[in-house]
Amino acid sequence: VLIKVVSYCLLGDTDIACGIFKANQKYFSLLSEEYAYIISHTEYWASRALISENNPLEAKIMLKALLKKKKGEFSLNSRVRKILSEL
């Protein structure tokens, strides 16, 4: 899911990226903590897609939730804060 969301975002097909994310989001809660990195990065890219699709409110909610998550090896906090400051 992460690879597809990122790929479609980079191709400019953010509507497809949002669709893939929303179709699979319900399964994220079923994954163990080992996948927290992948889930966080998928949510980060999905929020960028949402912004491109003129849905900044939903993106803002997702980004704020990302800041509250447990920090892993590769934290997205600085990137998330930058995007939130631009919204």
Side-chain angles (χ1 to χ4, degrees), residues 25-43:
Q25 186 177 17
K26 59 187 169 207
Y27 301 112
F28 292 171
S29 63
L30 303 174
L31 299 173
S32 68
E33 274 296 310
E34 296 171 343
Y35 298 98
Y37 169 84
I38 294 171
I39 294 168
S40 294
H41 279 74
T42 304
E43 291 172 338

Side-chain angles (χ1 to χ4, degrees), residues 49-57:
L50 287 166
I51 292 167
S52 294
E53 289 296 309
N54 294 319
N55 197 345
L57 182 58

Side-chain angles (χ1 to χ4, degrees), residues 45-63:
W45 279 94
S47 68
R48 292 181 60 152
L50 287 166
I51 292 167
S52 294
E53 289 296 309
N54 294 319
N55 197 345
L57 182 58
E58 192 175 346
K60 195 174 201 175
I61 291 167
M62 192 182 307
L63 290 168

